[in-house]
Amino acid sequence: MTSKKGMRWDKDVICMALSLYNRNPSAYRDIVQNDWLQLPSESLIKLYKNAVHQCPGIVPDMMLWMCNEAKRQNLVTEDYFGGLILDEMAIQENLQIVNTKSSTKLYGLSDSGLDVQQMQALNEGIFESKLANHVQQYIFSGLTGYRWSFANFPNLQAPPAEIFLTSWLYIDELYRWGFKSIYCCLDGSANNRAFLKMHFPCGNPVSDKMVAKGYKNPLRKIVFLMDPSHLIKKIRNGVFSSGFLDSHQRLLTVHGTFIVWKMWIDAYQWDRSSNSFQIHNKLSDDHIYPSSSQKMRNKLAFETLDCDMLYLMKCYSETLNEAGKAEMVGVLEFLKYTSVLVALVTDSRPIKDSNDMRLKQLSENYNWFKAWENQHVCNQDLHKRYKALLTMETREEIDYMFHGFSSLVAMCINEIKIEVVPNRINSDSIENIFCHERSLYHGANTNPNYNEYRTGINSIILGQTTTSKKSNVGGYKARPLALGLPPKTMKRKFINRLID
């Protein structure tokens, strides 16, 4: 609708225009300037997009936006239970000066909060700021699918103590806004594993089933577990480094038979050359000969260890002679259990009770990996023991993932009375944000600086669904109107009609 003083836009039109603008600002600018469509001006769209000013740490407006979105989507009590997902991304060391009408700010310095700065000053005897080379991102991921990227801060590859202080600060803040973090999911980096072990005075998280008491409130329990997707990639990487050449770091051995990546190559080449329709039609050169960046893709790792790969290996082994079939026994047994693990972490069916068959299969899977480890523990030759097994870090992550996932399911079913969907318990949502930051919202920029990173967060939240597509409730997108009017005084008297 129009008036003498301008155009009044319906909130649905503003949301649609924001979605277009976030995808391609240049295209949106052309549409508006050439009058191809009657849409809100770019300046008005920017007001709504930047309604929340992103900066390091907890932003009250961000938490309010998160809370209002949850209310708008009519979340019930169970929907407010979830987990804290954390990960970090490398950024460019660059100091940016941002001028506004009211102030001038610097972005790019390490800023993990006052508590961390005071701790560093006590340790180093000097209070100083350094250029950040990483950004730590935090996401709340609800058990029923609601997710929100609520905080981040630039740092110098955060050490365990820094992660500890900031994580518990953010967990307390989530509780203050009504969101209950009952688990923490993280990848298996050295700093993350050290951070995890800080919660268990005995030094053995497995003995406590990965369940720790709250830092400030011991009545609150939190379950720690390693990211299943990251674990599967590490298992695949372990096989990828296994072979008979001197350049291979490992020679994985199960029951006297070897597991080497050459078997995957041979099966893949046989499938392409002998079958007009490939048995494993998803398998490609990217799976078998991955580059350093392709090794980071979950999909490629999953499809080299899943049930389709197991079936291909079985078909390929049938074409071999007796000696060849005997050599394939170990890899077939290995794929039998990795395929179960892949099937579980990608399963969208909820686990509703503790007698679920998938939990039994997970237990059998874990017992097999432990039995494999026990086969070589007694080997006095440390070099052979090292080469015959997956890395110590990978084996430790298997322990943490199994016990953490089992404890989380038990807590949800027995205490909270809520079901668990396996394919939501991972760090995929945070990796998705990093992919957006590196490619979609800053061009082909694999190394953005912190100022670019923080300004892209609002676009990512507005551009993707706040409810996981893995859930069965549909995909809701965040609304820029959840906070009310943009943070700028409008001269038009009818601006309050923008919002019902």
Side-chain angles (χ1 to χ4, degrees), residues 25-281:
S26 298
Y28 185 86
R29 193 175 301 118
D30 290 340
I31 292 173
V32 173
Q33 291 177 352
N34 295 316
D35 291 328
W36 295 336
L37 289 175
Q38 195 71 21
L39 293 173
S41 66
E42 186 178 356
S43 60
L44 181 62
I45 290 300
K46 286 182 178 179
L47 286 176
Y48 281 98
K49 185 181 82 72
N50 299 323
V52 176
H53 179 72
Q54 296 291 342
C55 59
I58 292 292
V59 180
D61 282 348
M62 189 68 159
M63 302 304 296
L64 179 60
W65 190 10
M66 174 183 178
C67 188
N68 286 348
E69 272 298 319
K71 293 177 181 177
R72 187 182 69 84
Q73 296 181 21
N74 299 318
L75 299 189
V76 297
T77 303
E78 293 80 5
D79 299 331
Y80 286 86
F81 287 92
L84 184 73
I85 315 296
L86 61 100
D87 201 356
E88 65 180 5
M89 183 185 94
I91 58 173
Q92 184 182 151
E93 293 185 7
N94 197 348
L95 190 62
Q96 298 286 317
I97 302 175
V98 178
N99 292 313
T100 62
K101 291 183 179 180
S102 58
S103 64
T104 299
K105 294 185 178 180
L106 294 176
Y107 291 102
L109 295 174
S110 178
D111 186 359
S112 304
L114 182 60
D115 291 344
V116 173
Q117 291 174 349
Q118 291 175 341
M119 179 186 67
Q120 292 173 344
L122 289 173
N123 289 336
E124 301 174 6
I126 184 172
F127 195 92
E128 64 177 356
S129 296
K130 300 178 181 179
L131 284 176
N133 54 21
H134 284 76
V135 60
Q136 188 88 3
Q137 180 67 55
Y138 288 85
I139 288 181
F140 174 79
S141 180
L143 291 171
T144 57
Y146 184 74
R147 60 190 179 187
W148 196 272
S149 171
F150 68 93
N152 64 78
F153 62 87
N155 60 69
L156 293 167
Q157 200 162 10
E162 185 173 324
I163 300 174
F164 185 93
L165 288 176
T166 54
S167 296
W168 280 106
L169 173 66
Y170 296 161
I171 290 173
D172 291 341
E173 189 70 15
L174 286 172
Y175 267 95
R176 194 169 74 86
W177 287 90
F179 297 93
K180 302 174 178 63
S181 294
I182 61 171
Y183 76 91
C184 179
C185 182
L186 58 167
D187 65 28
S189 67
N191 287 344
N192 284 344
R193 290 201 308 274
F195 156 69
L196 186 154
K197 292 177 182 178
M198 292 173 69
H199 296 83
F200 301 92
C202 64
N204 184 15
V206 174
S207 63
D208 291 326
K209 304 298 182 182
M210 306 302 294
V211 181
K213 295 180 180 179
Y215 172 54
K216 294 182 180 179
N217 187 349
L219 297 179
R220 294 176 184 169
K221 294 188 294 184
I222 186 167
V223 178
F224 288 90
L225 73 157
M226 291 298 174
D227 177 22
S229 300
H230 187 265
L231 172 61
I232 291 173
K233 285 188 291 187
K234 293 194 75 170
I235 293 175
R236 189 279 315 271
N237 292 343
V239 180
F240 188 79
S241 64
S242 176
F244 300 102
L245 301 178
D246 293 338
S247 58
H248 290 122
Q249 298 178 350
R250 303 195 174 273
L251 183 57
L252 302 182
T253 309
V254 176
H255 300 306
T257 60
F258 301 120
I259 301 174
V260 295
W261 191 249
K262 183 69 165 55
M263 296 174 175
W264 273 256
I265 297 175
D266 292 342
Y268 170 63
Q269 292 177 344
W270 170 82
D271 192 19
R272 294 187 65 181
S273 61
S274 303
N275 302 306
S276 55
F277 293 97
Q278 292 186 34
I279 296 174
H280 194 339
N281 58 358

Side-chain angles (χ1 to χ4, degrees), residues 10-20 462 478-481:
D10 184 83
K11 58 184 180 181
D12 291 330
V13 175
I14 291 177
C15 292
M16 181 272 292
L18 261 172
S19 180
L20 293 175
L462 292 168
R479 303 292 288 255
L481 308 173

